[in-house]
Amino acid sequence: MNEKIDLLIVGAGPAGMQAAIQARDHGLSVLVADDQPAPGGQIWRAVERVADQATGAILGEEYRAGAAVARRFRDCGADYRPMTQVWQIEQGWHAYMTQGEKATVVQADNILLATGAQERPAPFPGWTLPGVMTVGAAQILLKTSNQVPADPVWIAGSGPLVLLYIKQLLEAGGRVAGWLDTSPADSRRRGIPHFLSALRNWRDLRKGYRWLQAIRKAGVPVYAGVAQFRAEGEGRMTEIVFSTGNGPERRVPAKLLLVHEGVVPSIHMSSAIECQHAWMDSQRCFAPQVDAWGATSQPGIYVAGDGAGIAGARAAGLRGQLAGLAIAARAGKLSTANADALAAPLRKQLLRELAVRPMLDAMYPPRANTASPSDDTIVCRCEELTAGDIRAAAKLGQPGPNQIKSFTRAGMGPCQGRQCGYTIANILAEAQQRPVPEVGFYRIRPPLKPLTLGELASLTDEAGSQ
């Protein structure tokens, strides 16, 4: 059955929920499509169930604060559809989605993409072995099912999520065999020029300092200056090999390695709609170009939250509220003057939240060889292609990412390039001596998520004719 609504929101994390609450406050009809079983997104995953449990206390006050937002969201009157995957959006705006193996189409005057971020793929030799996973994935297991690794874990990477997870893991009774810190040796020096402006968000600075103090107090072995490492084993990881600075290689036994090199905006959906994107050099990624309200270059399409640039949960919520106000004004439910007046305090808070970001970006860039993996490293997990395969294809003229897709099938698997897109772009940039923004990213085509023929066939003739 076709539906027509004022606003479709994709994603029910901090930005999506706050935007829905705001839009409903001004009388818009709102549908929220969420591929998770409950609201919260990745940052507040399972918060309704976990916030009041012992695990909620370990995850911290900022995590537990999500429960109140989720309650307001549940009560706001938005049509919330969990376990729903949006797999195509067409001009008009018609959004195709699947829930419970049945596909439907919705026509919306406005669409807000609140699809958040994903951990930056950081390929290295052995990263596809069982026993290697990301820090974010391990934290999701802690949030959803209180799972704590039985054996001491190794952690490789840098950034706030690494510090937070180590602190949470220790409080949950887990053990850390060692932290391979991949932040640059001059990390602190890089942050100094941004320190004074970051003081506007002194609470986050204090929080990060306390995380570091907790890690030191627990006696976690820290190996600073790790520029490269690999996982080895037959059938599953049994050892990690790494070196610090120019030192000799060390080989240590390991059953579980958690890696993290920051997060990047989820841009597949905004790319497929052909919104304009720009390269963010500070975060080494592309992001949709949006105005102060989250409006993209496509009329009626908005992006809020980390999908518009990495800034964290509180900033995501504020950006969601601003987008909700803008869409209410666009729908004629709110005057521009009133929208501006309501936005003023939100913008003030947002500036404070964003103040710490330049310092974090300067201190914790992804390690250099995430962009230039060795020839034997698998870069496209779906098609099992190595960096050497891509470099060989790069010699055939001056191909872009889409030509590489045709030559090698890189990016044509189930993840649709989410895991290999940036690696391919960086390898091509290196081979062609061009900047990554000039090389560009894959052209994203629907379906945006895996779709069965049965689900596609479930569209009614009426819906399919749109």
Side-chain angles (χ1 to χ4, degrees):
M1 175 184 293
N2 282 336
E3 299 173 74
K4 188 175 186 311
I5 54 174
D6 295 322
L7 171 61
L8 167 66
I9 298 175
V10 185
M17 288 196 290
Q18 295 281 23
I21 294 167
Q22 190 71 263
R24 286 295 301 151
D25 282 348
H26 294 93
L28 274 69
S29 56
V30 179
L31 188 159
V32 181
D34 184 20
D35 60 7
Q36 297 301 316
Q42 302 299 340
I43 193 79
W44 288 335
R45 180 77 78 102
V47 69
E48 292 173 301
R49 178 170 51 83
V50 172
D52 293 332
Q53 300 178 5
T55 303
I58 291 170
L59 294 171
E61 283 307 309
E62 290 202 20
Y63 173 80
R64 298 172 74 169
V69 179
R71 280 195 295 274
R72 290 176 56 209
F73 169 68
R74 291 276 194 187
D75 294 339
C76 77
D79 179 1
Y80 175 55
R81 299 186 189 178
M83 303 294 284
T84 300
Q85 291 199 326
V86 175
W87 44 269
Q88 183 169 352
I89 297 175
E90 295 178 348
Q91 288 281 347
W93 298 103
H94 297 92
Y96 293 79
M97 59 191 76
T98 299
Q99 182 187 47
E101 299 184 354
K102 181 174 174 54
T104 57
V105 58
V106 171
Q107 196 273 312
D109 292 338
N110 305 277
I111 294 179
L112 172 65
L113 305 178
T115 48
Q118 67 169 76
E119 288 187 277
R120 180 191 305 274
F124 58 89
W127 73 310
T128 57
L129 283 171
V132 181
M133 57 192 294
T134 67
V135 171
Q139 192 190 45
I140 286 174
L141 290 173
L142 178 62
K143 290 175 179 176
T144 56
S145 53
N146 195 28
Q147 287 194 37
V148 176
D151 296 306
V153 303
W154 284 87
I155 294 177
S158 68
L161 182 60
V162 169
L163 303 179
L164 174 60
Y165 178 72
I166 293 177
K167 177 249 182 193
Q168 291 172 340
L169 179 64
L170 294 172
E171 288 184 4
R175 292 168 293 164
V176 180
W179 170 21
L180 308 182
D181 184 359
T182 62
S183 57
D186 61 347
S187 176
R188 292 184 180 178
R189 183 189 61 79
R190 289 166 175 251
I192 287 173
H194 309 284
F195 179 72
L196 288 180
S197 57
L199 282 175
R200 295 183 64 188
N201 192 351
W202 60 269
R203 289 181 176 84
D204 275 358
L205 292 179
R206 184 179 64 180
K207 189 169 56 182
Y209 175 76
R210 287 178 173 174
W211 294 346
L212 279 169
Q213 289 295 94
I215 292 169
R216 288 174 182 148
K217 187 177 179 182
V220 172
V222 180
Y223 301 87
V226 173
Q228 56 186 351
F229 55 89
R230 63 182 185 271
E232 293 187 351
E234 293 295 329
R236 69 165 294 115
M237 181 188 68
T238 54
E239 292 183 318
I240 302 170
V241 182
F242 67 95
S243 59
T244 57
N246 295 321
E249 282 192 344
R250 298 186 59 170
R251 183 179 294 272
V252 295
K255 292 184 177 179
L256 180 60
L257 170 63
L258 307 178
V259 296
H260 179 80
E261 294 291 345
V263 295
V264 294
S266 175
I267 60 170
H268 268 51
M269 204 164 284
S270 55
S271 297
I273 306 173
E274 298 184 345
C275 298
Q276 291 180 3
H277 290 68
W279 177 257
M280 300 177 67
D281 196 51
S282 61
Q283 298 185 351
R284 313 288 203 276
C285 61
F286 289 99
Q289 289 183 292
V290 297
D291 67 11
W293 298 96
T296 70
S297 58
Q298 292 282 8
I301 300 292
Y302 295 75
V303 182
D306 280 350
I310 306 305
R314 292 194 302 268
L318 292 165
R319 286 169 164 177
Q321 292 182 65
L322 289 168
L325 288 172
I327 294 167
R330 187 172 190 269
K333 305 286 187 180
L334 185 65
S335 70
T336 302
N338 282 341
D340 285 336
L342 291 169
L346 300 175
R347 296 196 191 287
K348 190 174 179 180
Q349 292 180 58
L350 181 59
L351 282 175
R352 189 164 57 242
E353 295 298 336
L354 296 176
V356 74
R357 198 67 231 179
M359 192 177 88
L360 296 178
D361 292 339
M363 291 180 68
Y364 302 118
R367 61 184 163 82
N369 51 7
T370 59
S372 183
S374 58
D375 276 352
D376 62 338
T377 302
I378 288 178
V379 295
C380 174
R381 301 177 67 122
C382 299
E383 302 293 337
E384 296 188 348
L385 295 164
T386 65
D389 294 328
I390 304 304
R391 290 190 176 106
K395 295 176 181 176
L396 304 176
Q398 187 170 302
N402 297 305
Q403 286 74 42
I404 289 293
K405 185 187 288 187
S406 300
F407 294 166
T408 66
R409 290 188 56 81
M412 295 182 72
C415 86
Q416 291 289 287
R418 288 174 175 82
Q419 289 295 317
C420 66
Y422 280 112
T423 307
I424 300 296
N426 276 286
I427 289 174
L428 293 182
E430 180 184 60
Q432 299 168 7
Q433 296 296 295
R434 292 196 292 162
V436 177
E438 188 177 315
V439 169
F441 200 77
Y442 289 134
R443 182 179 300 113
I444 306 301
R445 299 180 182 279
L448 301 167
K449 299 288 179 65
L451 179 73
T452 68
L453 287 175
E455 290 168 344
L456 185 62
S458 69
L459 278 171
T460 65
D461 291 340
E462 186 180 25
S465 67
Q466 294 299 311

